[in-house]
Amino acid sequence: MTERQLMTGNEAMAEAAIRAGCRTYFGYPITPQNEILEYMAAHLPAAGGAFVQAESEVAAINMCYGASAAGVRTMTSSSSPGISLKLEGISYLAGADLPCVIVNVMRGGPGLGNIAPAQGDYFQATKGGGHGDYRVIVLAPSTVQEAAELVGLAFDLSDRYRVPAMILADGMLGQMMEPVALPPHRDPATLPPKPWALTGAKGREPNYVASFALDPKDLRELNLRRHERYREIAAREVRWEEVATEDAHVLLVAYGTMGRIAKTVVRRARGEGLKVGLLRPITLWPFPYAPIRELAARVRAVLTVELSAGQMWEDVRLAVEGRCPTPFYGEMGGVVPTPDEVLAEVKRLA
Amino acid sequence: MERSVVFAGFGGQGVLLAGKILARAAMEEGLEVTWLPSYGPEMRGGTANCTVVIADEPIGSPIVDRPDVLLAMNGPSLDRFEPRVAPGGTVIVNRSLIERPLRRTDVKGVYLQANDLARELGEPRAANMVALGAVVRALGVVPLEAVGQAIGEELGAKGRERLVEVNRAALERGHQKSGAPPSPPHFSRPG
């Protein structure tokens, strides 16, 4: 077995970013993700990178824009209210086709809300958030191990498609500790080249990076090409996990922290002879519409469970398209249901 | 196998650290483990708690509705968590600070003078390690030696050998005391 370390989700995501070749980090403090900043401040300079605690979230995301344009792997992190502030910059990154990894350790909202775990930023993450016709790749880890792995994947996908990628975690995952086998270190010099980057035009034609095209025909063309890439992502990069779905009568759909709690629900339900399964989306965009649709034809109900009023629920219903009932169970404001509370809801359906 | 424990007390009593040391020991034993802290706007003198789940397969919920073991380092923690303990579970009561017996009859009570025992060892701050010794016995899935080892890894910066030593002594003392046949505790207040 690879040697495991005991780390919080926040620390593991920060270390995984350094190991993925991230060499610039820009952030502004907010609970419950401050350990990412702390970790980066302590360890990124030693890896030859640059850490800057910016004067605001807006400054931090725009520093990412600059670093990314220069071809460097770059990351920022925040929690819900701070991500709202970053949205203008995320839209600009999307408009300039710049890779960047953004970590959102979600907390209770709206507004200042509180610092407890929540999933109320699903719409913001998966439906744009900022202005304009753009998409962000959204990855939702449910364990500290998976958080570390998905950070590496986020950098790779973001570079490959030149689309910003977001890790959508929550306060519980950020604060809890689990053993994690960290991915190996990657030398930034060995990463795929970025011929579009602004690295100095000596001996070549200058590159141009901007999220600006005054002529409508030009902007339409840029958007069409970008959406071509979005279609490619939707066709190739959908990821999900299934648990005990083969003979399930009730299918749970849950992601992140709620996804792992749902695993315990499935285990307890099976222990009582109830045929319950789980589909846990790992990519929230692109969303696993096809596998949910396929399972919906075989089950009696698809129960969406979220730490929100029902945001992913809309995508689940788009996937099911009326093939079976699609009830919803959710908690808000930082309240996290126990496995037994969800199980009681499952029993009403099974 | 899946066993869970809630460590609860005042902020500053070291319940988060005790849980972390247990989690580290479980990891070193090759087990799966989650350590989930209360991370609200806590402060010294406020309440703090953490939940540790140890299993031999991947762990689903890090939130536990029915912990197998509760360590209550102070009265408010006992009041809050006693009702949640799994039937047949164990509640470790810090007799140094808690003035009432258990209200429930379907769980086992282990009464331990954690602060007094730590003081006897010359390190009042090691009450959490005394209590951890009792937790290790009640859980029964992580060997005491592994926890002693984890104390060294968690606290053992250079020049802190004495600190590690006294904390290990406290761990062993709590383990040993919690295994003694229980003498019926006398309380000034009824449950």
Side-chain angles (χ1 to χ4, degrees):
Chain A
M1 187 188 289
T2 323
E3 199 191 327
R4 300 188 301 170
Q5 301 185 38
L6 192 63
M7 296 179 109
T8 65
N10 283 337
E11 292 164 343
M13 288 191 282
E15 176 61 27
I18 295 173
R19 287 172 180 242
C22 174
R23 288 297 177 268
T24 56
Y25 172 90
F26 311 98
Y28 187 82
I30 182 170
T31 306
Q33 62 82 56
N34 286 319
E35 295 79 10
I36 300 178
L37 271 87
E38 285 178 19
Y39 197 95
M40 284 302 201
H43 295 94
L44 189 55
F51 166 89
V52 178
Q53 181 174 319
E55 66 270 36
S56 72
E57 288 86 349
V58 177
I61 191 72
N62 284 294
M63 290 174 187
C64 286
Y65 184 107
S68 180
V72 184
R73 281 196 164 181
T74 188
M75 181 168 105
T76 187
S77 64
S78 192
S79 179
S80 308
I83 296 293
S84 293
L85 290 168
K86 290 181 192 292
L87 286 173
E88 180 198 53
I90 295 172
S91 173
Y92 275 56
L93 284 159
D97 300 313
L98 287 173
C100 178
V101 172
I102 303 129
V103 177
N104 182 1
V105 182
M106 287 185 281
R107 56 187 248 176
L112 195 55
N114 62 26
I115 61 174
Q119 296 181 325
D121 305 350
Y122 180 93
F123 285 153
Q124 185 196 62
T126 63
K127 310 296 176 191
H131 61 280
D133 258 332
Y134 77 94
R135 289 289 190 181
V136 168
I137 295 166
V138 184
L139 304 170
S142 74
T143 66
V144 174
Q145 179 68 46
E146 191 176 36
E149 289 167 8
L150 291 186
V151 164
L153 179 66
F155 276 106
D156 287 346
L157 294 178
S158 189
D159 275 359
R160 187 177 310 148
Y161 295 103
R162 294 180 63 182
V163 169
M166 182 178 283
I167 302 287
L168 198 63
D170 64 71
M172 186 176 294
L173 188 62
Q175 295 294 320
M176 69 184 285
M177 288 200 294
E178 285 186 291
V180 52
L182 291 161
H185 282 280
R186 288 159 74 187
D187 182 351
T190 64
L191 295 170
K194 295 174 177 174
W196 48 264
L198 308 184
T199 54
K202 198 172 179 187
R204 64 160 168 80
E205 287 295 303
N207 284 335
Y208 178 74
V209 173
S211 67
F212 180 65
L214 208 47
D215 186 323
K217 282 181 185 155
D218 289 348
L219 188 53
R220 178 183 65 179
E221 184 56 29
L222 286 169
N223 274 299
L224 286 172
R225 272 190 262 154
R226 195 169 298 127
H227 279 262
E228 191 60 45
R229 294 207 306 285
Y230 293 161
R231 275 192 290 280
E232 198 185 332
I233 294 168
R236 292 169 57 172
E237 306 296 351
V238 181
R239 286 167 170 82
W240 72 96
E241 180 191 12
E242 290 183 33
V243 179
T245 52
E246 311 77 29
D247 61 344
H249 290 165
V250 174
L251 178 70
L252 297 177
V253 181
Y255 73 94
T257 284
M258 204 56 242
R260 69 182 293 162
I261 294 171
K263 282 188 187 176
T264 298
V265 175
V266 168
R267 201 178 301 158
R268 287 190 189 167
R270 290 275 167 176
E272 296 184 25
L274 302 172
K275 293 190 171 176
V276 177
L278 166 70
L279 187 144
R280 181 176 68 84
I282 296 170
T283 51
L284 299 179
W285 193 84
F287 190 75
Y289 292 108
I292 293 175
R293 183 166 299 142
E294 199 177 301
L295 287 166
R298 297 196 258 132
V299 300
R300 293 173 193 165
V302 176
L303 174 66
T304 306
V305 188
E306 280 179 84
L307 304 179
S308 80
Q311 299 193 8
M312 179 178 71
W313 189 30
E314 294 194 359
D315 280 323
V316 172
R317 283 182 290 169
L318 273 176
V320 173
E321 282 181 324
R323 286 171 176 82
C324 69
T326 48
F328 174 75
Y329 181 84
E331 282 285 6
M332 281 188 284
V335 175
V336 182
T338 64
D340 276 359
E341 286 168 346
V342 182
L343 184 60
E345 190 67 18
V346 168
K347 281 179 181 169
R348 301 194 320 125
L349 302 166
Chain B
M1 180 277 290
E2 184 171 299
R3 301 274 285 163
S4 55
V5 50
V6 169
F7 294 78
F10 289 127
Q13 278 185 310
V15 292
L16 299 186
L17 177 63
K20 197 173 165 190
I21 287 168
L22 178 68
R24 180 174 297 283
M27 178 181 74
E28 302 292 353
E29 287 295 300
L31 295 163
E32 297 299 329
V33 61
T34 59
W35 174 90
L36 178 68
S38 57
Y39 69 90
E42 321 275 0
M43 56 183 175
R44 191 172 297 269
T47 62
N49 71 80
C50 67
T51 304
V52 176
V53 182
I54 300 172
D56 53 8
E57 57 182 348
I59 294 166
S61 175
I63 295 183
V64 172
D65 22 31
R66 304 177 294 232
D68 298 303
V69 176
L70 165 65
L71 166 64
M73 286 297 280
N74 64 356
S77 298
L78 184 62
D79 293 346
R80 180 172 169 199
F81 290 105
E82 182 184 354
R84 302 191 199 168
V85 177
T90 304
V91 179
I92 297 153
V93 179
N94 180 14
R95 271 295 276 128
S96 300
L97 297 179
I98 297 174
E99 275 299 319
R100 71 163 177 87
L102 295 186
R103 296 194 172 114
R104 285 176 58 182
T105 53
D106 61 341
V107 296
K108 183 185 168 199
V110 174
Y111 297 89
L112 192 72
Q113 311 252 15
N115 294 67
D116 300 88
L117 290 168
R119 227 181 333 263
E120 281 171 27
L121 290 166
E123 182 47 271
R125 289 176 298 176
N128 60 338
M129 293 298 107
V130 174
L132 178 57
V135 168
V136 170
R137 181 182 292 281
L139 268 181
V141 292
V142 181
L144 188 68
E145 306 77 64
V147 182
Q149 197 68 37
I151 287 178
E153 287 159 26
E154 201 64 46
L155 306 177
K158 203 169 151 57
R160 303 178 81 181
E161 292 79 6
R162 196 203 79 85
L163 185 73
V164 171
E165 198 180 309
V166 73
N167 275 281
R168 282 186 181 147
L171 175 80
E172 278 156 29
R173 188 91 169 114
H175 190 261
Q176 174 204 342
K177 275 282 179 185
S178 64
S183 52
H186 173 76
F187 289 95
S188 54
R189 286 199 292 125

